Amino acid sequence: MILFLPSLRKIKGMEIMQKQFEDKLMELLSSLFSSMKESHAQLPTLCKNESLGELQDCQKAAIAIGNTIEEKIGKNNDIVPILGEYCEKLFVISQAEAINTHDRDTLNGIIVNVEKLLNKVQYIYNVVFFPYKASMWDSLESIWKACKKDPACVCHVVPVPYYEYDSTTKEWAYCYDGADFDPDVQVVDYKKYSIKNEMPDVAYTHNPYDKFNRVTSIHPDYYSDNLKKFVKKLVYVPYYLTSGFFSEGHLELPVYKNMDFMVVQSKTIKKYFKNSEYYDKILPLGSPKIDKVINLIKDGVAIPESWRLSLKNQKSLMLNTSLGEILKSGNEYLSKIKTVFEIVKKRNDINIIWRPHPLLEATIKSMRPGLWETLLELKTIFIESAIGVIDQNPDLAKTIAISDGYIGEDSSASSVSNLFALAGKPVYILDNLVTRRFSIEEKGVLSIIDAYIKEDEMLFTARLYNGLFKMNLSTKNVEFVGRLPNQPKWNNVYSYITSVEDDLYFTPLLATKPAKYQRDTSEFAELESVASNQSMFMRKVASFKGKVFYLPIKGDAIIEYNTRNKRWRYHSKSIVELSRTFLNVGSKTWSCGVDEKEKMLWITAEYTNCVLAFKMTNGAHKIYRIGREASGYTGICVSGNNVWLSEVKTGAICKWNRKNKKFNRFELPKDVKCWLNFAQNGIIHGELVETKQYIVAVPGLTDSMIRINKKTGHLDTIAKEFWHDAISLRNGYSPKFNGTASFGKLFDKDKIIAQRMNDGLAAVIDVENDIIEPFQVRLSDEELKKITEGESGFERVADNLGFAKRESRLFPLEDFLTDIVTDNFTGVVEEQMRAVKDVAENLDGSCGQKVHEHIMKILREPQGVTKI
């Protein structure tokens, strides 16, 4: 019998064994013990010479096992003396003339005793953490702390090198953050750590991209496929935190194919992987990022000495400024920050902890050099105003623990605001376009999204408020009709409207289900058959013979609802085919026109000159490429055989005959002024409305309303004074971004009702005679009080947005600052924690401990771990 034993790394401890070798060693020993027992069984039947050979092999095996255990586990143990007894018994038996069954059983008993003792040996687990950026260490830190305290583990922190791409030089710059970790984190130089030699039981990583990140890339040796070659269990922990939403782009990442487990912050996020092959690998145990903030708040954190004088023992708000907002909004964003500084400067009772993105200055220099002087001016104003401190502390969690609240960008793009919300601290989202405080009269103005007009009554949805409103078109009195219960109140959860037999059907924008309003009973109800736990992001809606058709913004299907039999149908082929024509860069649809004679729904998208013709009776469809390749279409209406379209960017009005395919294009008059919005996708006209004689273009990013005679093709402008004023009356907003009109719809055969975006002034416009009857769409002070009194303004609008108060006409920054100073948040924190309970698990700061315990359980009981 030949014995081969593995070479084990020596570890301190009497009965401790390196875990990486556990399976291989125990397998070898088990095989060896079985062979020894087989030898024992043969002994009574062998002759003297044959039995001596077997006894010598057993003795050699026992000595080899004893030497290995003594050397690698320690001399002070119970196993080696028992093996000594075994060898002595072998010697006694060798001296006997014959070997009997009692001798055999005695030898077996000794080996069984050795096996029992070996099974009680405590094993050490080799765990390694592979962070790359020190600023992201908080996504692993609490797991490391739990592992470090576990006597059954030896753990190492090995920061790995990474590379950042310089778009100017077109080169990759080497980066290594090993020196940037806190002193208590004893990092190991990656050059001195061999994963191949260490063969760790567990490795944690927070980089999911491997070679597919075009901006920052870790060294190839630490790609997930290379790690998995030498690691028993590879665990991926995201470096970011969301409000509970998980984007499609993060459902397929390279690390998923190689990981054994992924830690996610909530069961809600795990549901996003429901149909993936990775579902059972997802552990919804929370986020170490939350642990760090929660535990710092519990334990208390000292204000840095360099901050004490500036913060003056007053309330402090962290102001977060990011690269995304700079690149998107530029001057408007910096102007907004300047306004914030001016407001705080006037108060003298609150401070700002301004945390600019570390790459803010470098980004402006390289990508927005025209903003450089403005940024320097902004920093000068902040410093000279003595309203706070500029935070360059790499440990974000400490700043959150010190701060009393958050102001800054929308939480959908920021882990920072989500951390504040989960820590129970108030979050206030700034609106870059709000430049001043609004009066009570202005707060009552409603911006119409869509309306249902019948006789002298208009029922409509509004942008600032979630709800249905009613206006008497004779008296112009406006009332709040109501909304579905348990919904956000201060955003347009539902947008567009259609009617079936006087019942109103609403498209779900931020809502998770479509809804209807039954006029005869004044009741609201969700349409229950649509199963969704996410915002549906539907746009326009149309009805035909008892059917309702919802058009998607993001989804891949037209959703049809039969109001008579309550059945749903999903028409995906048509939308998928349409979206292929513009590579899914924008909204899947923009507007639609109904051709009742042909039972056809004609649908536009602003990024393509393809128009979708959808048969409303059976879902058949056809796509027509109309007009210029470089354009797309927004507004559309169908009049007889002609399909009228408004061209994106140029604003030209187009007529296409669906029978003979003849195409005519009508340019705008030269005196019409147009501009492009920040996305450079000039929506010159929002919608087209058909009157008896004309096609009317409701202005989008232009100063004019266009009408075109359907017969003659003569094109001119109407209501010039009304729309000219819309440009000059900014009323606290920038029209460059918001547009000219918020709404336009047919009132009767020759009139339309339209509304200006920026001041909310509406008008009945007689298209034939070019006569304007302006009026206000405004809640009375009493009606406004009914829906705002006692309201904090805090809410969670949708699954991709955090719990926050959002700046608007109703909820100005000044009021939020006053509430911070006076601690006027009665009931808000409780509401906040209820609203975010599904955002993350283990909000008591125990995520790291729970993750460590779960992974250890898997290692110890690989076949019997319960899925979570």
Side-chain angles (χ1 to χ4, degrees), residues 88-105:
E88 290 177 4
K89 183 63 178 175
L90 290 174
F91 176 75
V92 170
I93 292 173
S94 70
Q95 301 303 306
E97 289 297 325
I99 302 174
N100 56 42
T101 56
H102 176 74
D103 295 329
R104 175 199 65 195
D105 293 343

Side-chain angles (χ1 to χ4, degrees), residues 665-693:
R665 186 171 176 274
F666 304 92
E667 296 277 2
L668 295 185
K670 292 183 179 180
D671 61 343
V672 172
K673 295 179 181 178
C674 306
W675 60 89
L676 300 181
N677 66 2
F678 63 86
Q680 296 299 301
N681 186 43
I683 308 300
I684 305 303
H685 309 298
E687 302 295 341
L688 294 182
V689 179
E690 183 184 14
T691 67
K692 184 177 180 181
Q693 187 176 350

Side-chain angles (χ1 to χ4, degrees), residues 133 135-136 162 164 320-323 354-364 372 375 379 390-396 416:
K133 288 191 175 184
S135 61
M136 296 176 180
Y162 62 98
E164 291 185 340
N320 183 38
T321 54
S322 73
L323 300 181
W354 183 17
R355 190 178 178 87
H357 191 282
L359 299 177
L360 182 65
E361 293 190 5
T363 300
I364 288 180
W372 177 245
L375 178 63
K379 290 182 68 175
I390 296 177
D391 179 16
Q392 296 176 323
N393 173 21
D395 194 342
L396 170 64
V416 182

Side-chain angles (χ1 to χ4, degrees), residues 396-410:
L396 170 64
K398 289 182 180 178
T399 302
I400 295 174
I402 291 168
S403 303
D404 296 290
Y406 169 97
I407 55 175
E409 67 178 29
D410 202 323

Side-chain angles (χ1 to χ4, degrees), residues 149-365:
K149 291 188 299 183
D150 190 341
C153 292
V154 168
C155 59
H156 299 95
V157 178
V158 184
V160 303
Y162 62 98
Y163 304 87
E164 291 185 340
Y165 186 70
D166 189 324
S167 59
T168 303
T169 63
K170 309 296 183 184
E171 295 178 350
W172 290 89
Y174 170 85
C175 304
Y176 178 65
D177 288 7
D180 298 332
F181 286 75
D182 286 342
D184 64 324
V185 183
Q186 296 179 350
V187 303
V188 176
D189 190 324
Y190 72 95
K191 297 175 184 176
K192 298 179 180 179
Y193 183 90
S194 170
I195 190 172
K196 185 177 181 179
N197 293 337
E198 291 286 340
M199 295 285 288
D201 297 285
V202 186
Y204 290 92
T205 180
H206 59 196
N207 185 292
Y209 302 108
D210 291 349
K211 64 181 179 180
F212 294 100
N213 192 327
R214 304 296 182 186
V215 179
T216 303
S217 179
I218 59 174
H219 191 285
D221 286 353
Y222 303 95
Y223 291 166
S224 60
D225 55 347
N226 289 328
L227 294 181
K228 185 55 188 168
K229 292 175 184 176
F230 308 107
V231 176
K232 192 168 186 179
K233 300 295 180 186
L234 179 61
V235 184
Y236 163 58
V237 186
Y239 61 80
Y240 54 85
L241 186 73
T242 79
S243 58
F245 175 79
F246 212 69
S247 67
E248 291 184 8
H250 279 78
L251 291 176
E252 291 291 340
L253 292 173
V255 73
Y256 298 162
K257 296 178 182 179
N258 302 302
M259 70 186 186
D260 293 286
F261 299 100
M262 172 183 178
V263 177
V264 298
Q265 65 193 62
S266 69
K267 295 182 179 69
T268 301
I269 286 182
K270 180 169 181 173
K271 290 178 182 177
Y272 284 88
F273 290 86
K274 187 174 182 180
N275 297 319
S276 81
E277 60 184 293
Y278 317 117
Y279 183 77
D280 289 336
K281 297 181 177 183
I282 308 299
L283 305 178
L285 294 173
S287 170
K289 295 176 74 70
I290 302 172
D291 283 355
K292 181 154 190 179
V293 174
I294 296 297
N295 291 321
L296 277 173
I297 293 172
K298 283 182 183 177
D299 300 338
V301 58
I303 297 174
E305 286 298 325
S306 59
W307 289 12
R308 287 187 180 278
L309 185 62
S310 298
L311 296 185
K312 312 165 194 171
N313 291 320
Q314 295 175 338
K315 296 282 187 178
S316 299
L317 290 171
M318 195 193 90
L319 170 64
N320 183 38
T321 54
S322 73
L323 300 181
E325 284 295 317
I326 280 285
L327 296 176
K328 182 176 76 173
S329 303
N331 279 314
E332 285 73 18
Y333 182 53
L334 294 180
S335 177
K336 179 64 187 184
I337 301 304
K338 181 179 180 182
T339 299
V340 171
F341 293 166
E342 291 170 348
I343 290 172
V344 174
K345 181 181 178 182
K346 293 176 183 177
R347 298 185 60 97
N348 293 318
D349 59 1
I350 196 166
N351 298 293
I352 296 294
I353 300 175
W354 183 17
R355 190 178 178 87
H357 191 282
L359 299 177
L360 182 65
E361 293 190 5
T363 300
I364 288 180
K365 280 183 177 180

Side-chain angles (χ1 to χ4, degrees), residues 442-447 449 462-466 469 489-492 733 795 807-811:
E442 289 170 330
K443 289 181 178 181
V445 173
L446 298 175
S447 181
I449 301 173
R463 280 182 171 78
L464 186 57
Y465 307 86
N466 172 27
F469 298 85
K489 299 175 182 178
W490 315 117
N491 281 268
N492 50 305
Y733 285 87
E795 62 184 11
E807 186 175 21
S808 68
R809 284 179 286 180
L810 293 178
F811 305 115

